[in-house]
Amino acid sequence: MLHLGRIVYERYFGALEAHLQHTCYSITKSYAGTLAAAFVDEGVLDDTKPIPYHLPELRRTAFEDATLRELMDMQTGLDYSEDCADRCASVGAYVRACGSRPRPAGYGGPQTLCEYLRTVRKEGPHGESFAYRIINTEVMNVARVTGRSCVQLLHERLWAPLGCEEYGYVVVDAAGMPLAGCGLSLTMRDMARFGKLMRCEGTWRGKQLIPASVVHDVQLYNDPSKLPSNLTYRNQWWVSRHELRGFYAAGIYGQHLYVLPEAETVIARFASHPVVSGAANKPITSHRWRRLSACCASSGPHTQSSPTLHKEYGARCASPSRHPKKPPSCGRRRSNEEETNANQLDEVME
């Protein structure tokens, strides 16, 4: 947990440690969506154009008359089911095509992500309702206008400028296509860096890495007509309409990255919840995080010694300097630059 750019609480359970990567599942979408929104803002991508404008090979497919904006906001009318608990759901065919799930004997289906995308059928009109589908992110990801893969863009626009402590890993299919909808693994501190960047309107150490207008578009977006709940969805981020006006990224089995600009707070969490859907843990964690963030919002710049934090949550205020440094997971020694990046978490990240 970061408040005013400082780590105020940090704990690891089970096998996870500060230097170890953990899959973040659909939080990957928010990285991809933020990059896509930045390219739209910069005029590199046009979110009003139909998908074949950027990907001609998707003519005469279910995506032919969908716009990039409809993909970015999950408003496509596709015959595709995302229920991971249903063995017959379309997502099963998607993961088999990508090689993320064993294929049965005699399998003759799509061998790669791109092959699978061409098999998806249209179910209804695009743009009329919200429907959360990972394949929207994958199509958005393969728009090749920049000439570079999403992994290269992630490194150039975010990973290197943020001074991430450890390597990130991205799952690829048999053709080497990165999975932008679910494939990223990283450390919790490096994920918190991304949250801090979004909290500070895309700026990092005086440099504008993501246009501020992209962050404002996410934070201020409010279209309840598409998603009848206390949430909206913009640029692959969930946008909450509760009192702190936060937004967050979420992945199955309990992964979360909460960004609460008004409380000047970022909360990153990895989990291995036994239930796939967030519905099993969200009613508990969301309520507690809102209370914790409200506490930060009212406590000002002295949160590290806040008695309320200690009393209500048993929080041990943590600083990375109090934790022994671990070598990266591949066994190499950190360079001087990497040690400097790690030590910077002791400071206000500006």
Side-chain angles (χ1 to χ4, degrees), residues 224-288:
S225 64
K226 297 292 194 304
L227 191 61
S229 68
N230 65 339
L231 297 172
T232 53
Y233 193 84
R234 187 68 164 180
N235 296 338
Q236 311 276 299
W237 287 88
W238 296 95
V239 186
S240 174
R241 294 199 291 269
H242 65 67
E243 65 278 6
L244 292 174
R245 292 175 55 209
F247 53 97
Y248 66 92
I252 56 174
Y253 299 109
Q255 324 314 313
H256 275 93
L257 178 61
Y258 265 80
V259 181
L260 298 128
E262 292 192 5
E264 299 184 283
T265 299
V266 172
I267 301 173
R269 184 186 77 170
F270 288 144
S272 298
H273 199 278
V275 179
V276 177
S277 170
N281 58 78
K282 193 179 298 182
I284 300 172
T285 56
S286 297
H287 172 68
R288 291 187 174 182

Side-chain angles (χ1 to χ4, degrees), residues 93-108:
Y94 157 81
V95 295
R96 282 190 291 272
C98 296
S100 300
R101 180 179 292 178
R103 296 167 179 170
Y107 174 79

